[in-house]
Every structure is written in structure tokens, then in C-alpha cells.
Amino acid sequence: MSAKFATINPATGETVKEFPTADDATIAALIEDSDAAFQKWRTTPLEDRTAPLSKAADLMDDRRDELAALLTLEMGKLPVEARAEVELCASILRYYAEEAPRLLADEKLSPNSGGQAVLKHEPIGPLLGVMPWNFPYYQVTRLAAPNLAAGNTIILKHASNTPQSALAFEQIMSDALLPKDCYRNVFADNDQIQTMIADERIRGASLTGSEAAGSAVAGGAGTNLKKSILELGGSDPFIVLDDQDLEATVSAAVAGRMANSGQSCIASKRFIINEDIYDDFVALLTEKMSQFVAGDPNDPDTTMAPLSSEQAAVDLIEQVEDAIDHGAHVHTGGKRVDRAGAFVQPTVLTGVTPQMRAYSEELFGPVAVVYSVHDEDESIALANDSSFGLGGTVVSADVEKAQRVADRVDTGMVWINQATWTEPDLPFGGTKRSGVGRELGAEGIQEFVNKKLIRTP
């Protein structure tokens, strides 16, 4: 079978290394091995399940630079951002290693009819993870850390363009002395993913990725009566209610839009600005966006890395050109960067209307769309006029006002006076077409457990 998994340097277009897709016999053996490992892992004392997570965190810290270098090679991440991703993963592993005993503790209930009742959190079995390329370690850690602590085993199918990062994470788990087959990477195709989901030994599936991929995985899981967790796209609003500190606000907006070259589901994408400060906001945003320097991610002078692939750049430019063709105004950017590699100019668009793709579609790259609104109610209406509902930001000098607006924003997460981000102990997830379920925090470790009731009259 020809190689579908390949490292292709997005800064140069060079194919560095290829890996063959697993054959069906390998998939079948993998499921059998994962299930056999689960039968032992599920009864392993909790302290012995969390010990490898602590060791894995230490290893990620020790190997930070080499792990980060793979992210830069495979998907073009700036080294400073790549190192930050590795550090975030170490913190997630430590969080669950330390907090799992509390998060999985039995819950004593008090039945109205008397007697005793307890709710236990038990593992359910092997899980299939299907993960994307934009945060190759972080996305995997969100699934692996809580579920390994809970007693489940993991089969992980990673994105086709980050195979070396996938293998590096698997090696970390092995070197952390996680028992064999508790965590396994697999290079599988779409048909094989459905085969794994259909197997009765696979008890759940988790996907981070596109709506189409999420629909396929959720459909397979639903057909086979299994739970699925989905973290899909986002078109996060960044609502500015007043001019408490325009310089700081725009800097936060730029950081929220441009992290990871704009390739983040929780990136700030739609900037909804009070009309009184709209012109000043657009002018300052345009100035700051135009200052990015595109280039080799390993060059210290580079401040904007390439997109993950040539196709990603082509797709983004098509969305931008559609907006321009229908009357949107370009304040800066709007084109490819004049150099080799998957680069798109940082772009600021205004005048975007519902007739344009940029109004309703996720813009997965360095493109900011700015809207002017009259008041608080219009801000909320525009923010909620989206099929997505992942994260969002509300900025105001009046924190109570910001919180009041946040209450009315229809998303899974809202951050006040800070661009949406992620922390190990906070739940992460969305609503509407942005997904189902939660990862991280206490909620993340309880998604794939059997909450078993034991009742004593």
C-alpha cells in the first residue's frame, strides 16, 4: 500500500520522509493487543497508572527542543510556539498525574429513601483517537492523559502530515514505562478508522478536526452505539465594548488571531467592535498585522511561519478572493507571500457580508475580519450569528458588563479581557457545530468512564 503519511516541510515543499499505511491485519492485531492491555490496565492501582504520566511529563521537558523541532519541520510552527506546546503538554500530564485520585474518587450519595449509594468511575475500554496536525502533541495529550489515568487504553490515528511527531509521542509513552499496548500509534486510512469504530472492543472515539471528519466519526460511533467526543471548527468572536486600552486590546487581538499562524480552532477570527472605536481599532490592527515577517521558521527574524501545507494556503486564498470579489475591503494582505512555501499574507478584511464565504466559514490562517456594531445587543447578535460555538472573547473596562455579555454569547467558552486559550484544569469544548463533549479539567477525565451506581438498601 502506498505511503499516505508523509513529512512535507511547508516552508519549502520538500518531502522529507514517508510512512506506509497499516494493512488490515495490522489493524486487527492492534485492536486485539489494545483490548488485552486494557484487561490488565483497568485493574492496575491508580498510583501505578499515574506514575507513567509523571515520567512522560519529565521526558517532554527533557526532550523539549527535539520534540519542538519536529513541529517546526512537519507543520511549520515557530520554534518559540513549538516549545510552548511541548511545555503545555507536560503541564497537562502532570495535572492528571496529580489530580486523578481526586477526580476519580467515589462519590457518596444520599438517597431520599435511605440506605447507602456510591457512584464509581470505572474505565470502559480501548478508545480510538483521531487527531489533527495543528497541535500534534497537545491534541493527543488532551485525550491520552486523562483516559490513561482513568484506566482506558488508547489507539491514536494522527494527521497524515505529522507522522514523525506522532511516533515521537508514542516513544515518550513507551520510555515513560507505560505498559506495552496501552498507547499505540497507527497510520490508518478512513476505511480502517470506520472498521476500528465498528469493532465491539473499541468502546469510544474522540476526534479533533473538521466538520466532515467529525460527522464521519460520530456517524460510525452512533451506528455502533458508542460515545464520541468531537472538537471541531470555530469562528470565535472577539468583542470589544469600549476603549479601555486600545493598544493593549489590539495587541491581544493580534495575538489571538496570529498564534500558530492563525491555524487554531480557538483563534480570534471575527472582531466585533463598538462603532465609536472601530476606525481606530482597524487602523491599529492593520498596522500591527502588516508588520509580520514571513520566512523560514528557524530564522530568528521570522515572525510568521507558513501554513501547514500548500493546499491550506490555496484554500485560504480562495476564501479571501471570494470576499474581495463580492465587495469586501482589504486593509492589508489578501495575497500569497512572494516566496516559496505555503505562506499567506496577514490580512485584514472589512465590509464582509453574509453573501461571502468569509462570513460563515472558518478562516484557518492569518486573516482577520472586522465588523462595526452600534451597541451591546448588536455585538451579541453578530457573535451568535454563526454555526460555530467554540470560544470567544469579551473586552471591556467594566468587568461586570463583560461578564453580562459573556453570559449571552452562545459558545462553549468565553474569556474576559484575554483571547481564548487553554489550561489543564479548565474544561475545553464547544457547542453547535463546534463539537460535543469536553476535554481537560475534571470534565475531561469523566467523558469516557462508566459512572457505576452501587446501591445498598
Side-chain angles (χ1 to χ4, degrees):
M1 189 175 291
S2 62
K4 292 181 62 178
F5 291 76
T7 299
I8 302 174
N9 187 337
T12 64
E14 175 193 5
T15 298
V16 178
K17 195 170 184 178
E18 295 183 333
F19 299 83
T21 304
D23 58 29
D24 292 344
T26 298
I27 299 293
L30 187 62
I31 296 171
E32 182 175 350
D33 292 343
S34 184
D35 183 59
F38 169 69
Q39 304 308 324
K40 296 179 180 179
W41 188 241
R42 67 184 303 178
T43 59
T44 299
L46 181 55
E47 61 268 24
D48 294 332
R49 297 203 302 261
T50 57
L53 302 185
S54 294
K55 179 61 175 176
D58 292 340
L59 290 173
M60 295 201 81
D61 283 338
D62 293 343
R63 302 176 189 176
R64 183 191 65 170
D65 290 344
E66 63 185 87
L67 291 170
L70 285 176
L71 301 182
T72 300
L73 172 66
E74 293 199 301
M75 56 81 55
K77 198 183 294 280
L78 291 173
V80 64
E81 294 182 333
R83 291 191 292 270
E85 180 178 340
V86 177
E87 292 166 359
L88 175 60
C89 293
S91 70
I92 294 170
L93 287 160
R94 287 197 180 93
Y95 169 76
Y96 284 109
E98 295 168 1
E99 297 297 328
R102 176 179 64 86
L103 300 176
L104 295 170
D106 293 350
E107 298 179 35
K108 291 184 178 180
L109 307 179
S110 300
N112 289 336
S113 58
Q116 300 176 349
V118 63
L119 196 66
K120 292 181 171 291
H121 304 93
E122 298 184 346
I124 61 173
L127 306 175
L128 173 65
V130 181
M131 295 297 147
W133 46 262
N134 56 335
F135 291 93
Y137 302 136
Y138 164 66
Q139 306 283 6
V140 174
T141 305
R142 291 194 322 197
L143 174 68
N147 284 294
L148 289 171
N152 297 313
T153 55
I154 307 291
I155 297 174
L156 200 292
K157 182 271 173 190
H158 221 310
S160 61
N161 58 333
T162 57
Q164 294 190 69
S165 300
L167 292 173
F169 191 91
E170 183 182 45
Q171 189 64 50
I172 288 283
M173 288 299 171
S174 176
D175 292 347
L177 304 181
L178 185 73
K180 188 177 185 299
D181 299 321
C182 284
Y183 178 94
R184 291 287 301 274
N185 178 77
V186 62
F187 295 141
D189 62 27
N190 291 338
D191 290 340
Q192 290 169 328
I193 290 172
Q194 292 299 328
T195 296
M196 286 188 279
I197 293 174
D199 192 290
E200 63 181 8
R201 291 166 294 185
I202 300 296
R203 297 292 300 276
S206 176
L207 175 136
T208 298
S210 68
E211 291 180 69
S215 179
V217 167
T223 296
N224 291 282
L225 301 178
K226 298 175 183 179
K227 184 172 184 177
S228 61
I229 299 299
L230 307 175
E231 196 268 278
L232 308 178
S235 188
D236 286 9
F238 188 104
I239 302 170
V240 182
L241 301 174
D242 52 55
D243 61 346
Q244 63 160 337
D245 184 340
L246 194 59
E247 174 69 31
T249 296
V250 175
S251 293
V254 172
R257 175 64 279 197
M258 293 298 292
N260 209 38
S261 295
Q263 300 169 113
S264 171
C265 296
I266 57 169
S268 304
K269 300 185 177 83
R270 297 180 295 139
F271 298 89
I272 300 171
I273 315 300
N274 184 280
E275 62 186 2
D276 293 339
I277 58 172
Y278 171 79
D279 289 339
D280 291 340
F281 181 94
V282 170
L284 189 53
L285 179 67
T286 300
E287 177 187 337
K288 290 182 179 294
M289 291 283 280
S290 64
Q291 292 172 352
F292 281 86
V293 178
D296 180 350
N298 288 305
D299 185 335
D301 293 330
T302 295
T303 57
M304 189 188 77
L307 298 187
S308 64
S309 67
E310 175 62 20
Q311 190 60 52
V314 170
D315 291 344
L316 184 62
I317 284 295
E318 287 180 354
Q319 292 170 303
V320 171
E321 290 179 344
D322 172 79
I324 296 170
D325 291 345
H326 288 85
H329 180 65
V330 181
H331 294 261
T332 187
K335 299 179 180 179
R336 295 289 295 267
V337 177
D338 186 18
R339 58 163 293 146
F343 292 91
V344 171
Q345 295 174 345
T347 300
V348 176
L349 297 176
T350 60
V352 170
T353 65
Q355 292 71 38
M356 305 172 189
R357 293 175 59 191
Y359 185 89
S360 58
E361 296 181 5
E362 180 176 25
L363 300 172
F364 217 62
V367 179
V369 178
V370 191
Y371 301 91
S372 174
V373 293
H374 177 64
D375 56 21
E376 184 178 311
D377 288 339
E378 190 177 353
S379 295
I380 296 165
L382 182 55
N384 291 341
D385 188 22
S386 172
S387 62
F388 297 107
L390 189 54
T393 296
V394 180
V395 177
S396 176
D398 184 343
V399 174
E400 290 187 2
K401 179 180 180 180
Q403 291 172 337
R404 183 175 68 243
V405 170
D407 285 343
R408 298 173 62 192
V409 174
D410 189 11
T411 64
M413 306 171 286
V414 182
W415 289 54
I416 305 296
N417 293 331
Q418 180 183 346
T420 307
W421 190 234
T422 180
E423 296 177 11
D425 56 345
L426 297 179
F428 186 105
T431 186
K432 297 190 282 188
R433 298 188 71 84
S434 285
V436 179
R438 292 294 182 269
E439 295 178 294
L440 298 178
E443 292 77 8
I445 203 170
Q446 295 188 11
E447 288 284 7
F448 289 110
V449 295
N450 174 27
K451 297 185 178 183
K452 182 194 288 184
L453 173 69
I454 298 180
R455 175 75 162 96
T456 304

